[in-house]
Amino acid sequence: MSRNLRTALLGFAFVFFMGGVGFASVPLYRMFCQVTGLNGTTQVADAAPGAIDRQVTVAFDTNTSTALPWAFKPEQRAQRIAIGARDMAFFTAKNLSDKPITGTATFNVTPALAGSYFTKIQCFCFTEQTLQPGEEVRMPVVFYVDPSILEDEEASRIEEITLSYTFYPVDSAKAAS
């Protein structure tokens, strides 16, 4: 094999490999964040382990993109919950436009250290939400704080965890002006 052909093949293989890495980086990063709780990414589970005799306050923060004409807020600004117990919070969203709009919510937890201990069982943020003109919906999130938070020397001192959501239009072309 000639030197030029070998160099061209190596160059092509490198470009192909880097394209694959670029394509896979977003899902791999998302999986890494879910496993480690990096940047306040919450965990997902099917059931809560059960309450223990310790409580923490969970505060709720909501935001909407300027491109999404929705009113979005928690029904309660904060709840005092037992660590390990299954709990539920409700949020309301209202489409303020005259067009159907689909939105999706991103979320995070602060302090970021609490992300690996904050676990969602069910959440409106797992799917896209379509609201008709003027429609208002009530959306639940079912969650718990993992008791293993008490085994982490730094995390065990956390008194308040903030769960924050931001809604964005799924397709900005669909968002009302």
Side-chain angles (χ1 to χ4, degrees):
M1 181 181 300
S2 76
R3 184 178 210 155
N4 288 340
L5 181 58
R6 185 174 51 222
T7 302
L9 287 174
L10 284 173
F12 176 75
F14 179 75
V15 168
F16 184 75
F17 174 76
M18 292 307 291
V21 167
F23 181 76
S25 64
V26 171
L28 289 174
Y29 180 74
R30 184 175 295 126
M31 286 185 339
F32 175 77
C33 288
Q34 287 175 338
V35 168
T36 64
L38 183 68
N39 294 327
T41 302
T42 64
Q43 306 302 301
V44 177
D46 294 325
I52 61 171
D53 192 24
R54 174 92 185 271
Q55 293 190 332
V56 66
T57 299
V58 177
F60 305 104
D61 174 57
T62 57
N63 304 281
T64 56
S65 163
T66 56
L68 186 68
W70 285 10
F72 174 53
K73 64 183 180 182
E75 288 186 357
Q76 291 182 291
R77 289 284 171 201
Q79 291 176 225
R80 190 90 176 138
I81 66 162
I83 292 176
R86 177 185 175 275
D87 213 309
M88 183 181 294
F90 286 93
F91 296 79
T92 58
K94 183 174 183 177
N95 181 350
L96 304 174
S97 78
D98 60 353
K99 300 173 187 162
I101 299 178
T102 300
T104 188
T106 61
F107 57 87
N108 71 344
V109 171
T110 55
L113 180 59
S116 58
Y117 302 103
F118 193 94
T119 305
K120 294 181 184 176
I121 297 170
Q122 176 186 346
C123 184
F124 59 87
C125 60
F126 296 159
T127 58
E128 295 176 351
Q129 306 295 320
T130 300
L131 300 183
Q132 297 304 313
E135 180 181 14
E136 184 170 357
V137 295
R138 192 170 183 232
M139 301 178 296
V141 60
V142 179
F143 63 94
Y144 68 92
V145 176
D146 193 310
S148 64
I149 193 171
L150 300 176
E151 297 167 14
D152 182 321
E153 185 177 329
E154 192 174 343
S156 66
R157 293 182 251 152
I158 295 172
E159 295 289 327
E160 181 172 294
I161 298 171
T162 301
L163 175 60
S164 181
Y165 288 101
T166 302
F167 254 106
Y168 294 94
V170 170
D171 180 355
S172 58
K174 293 181 183 176
S177 302

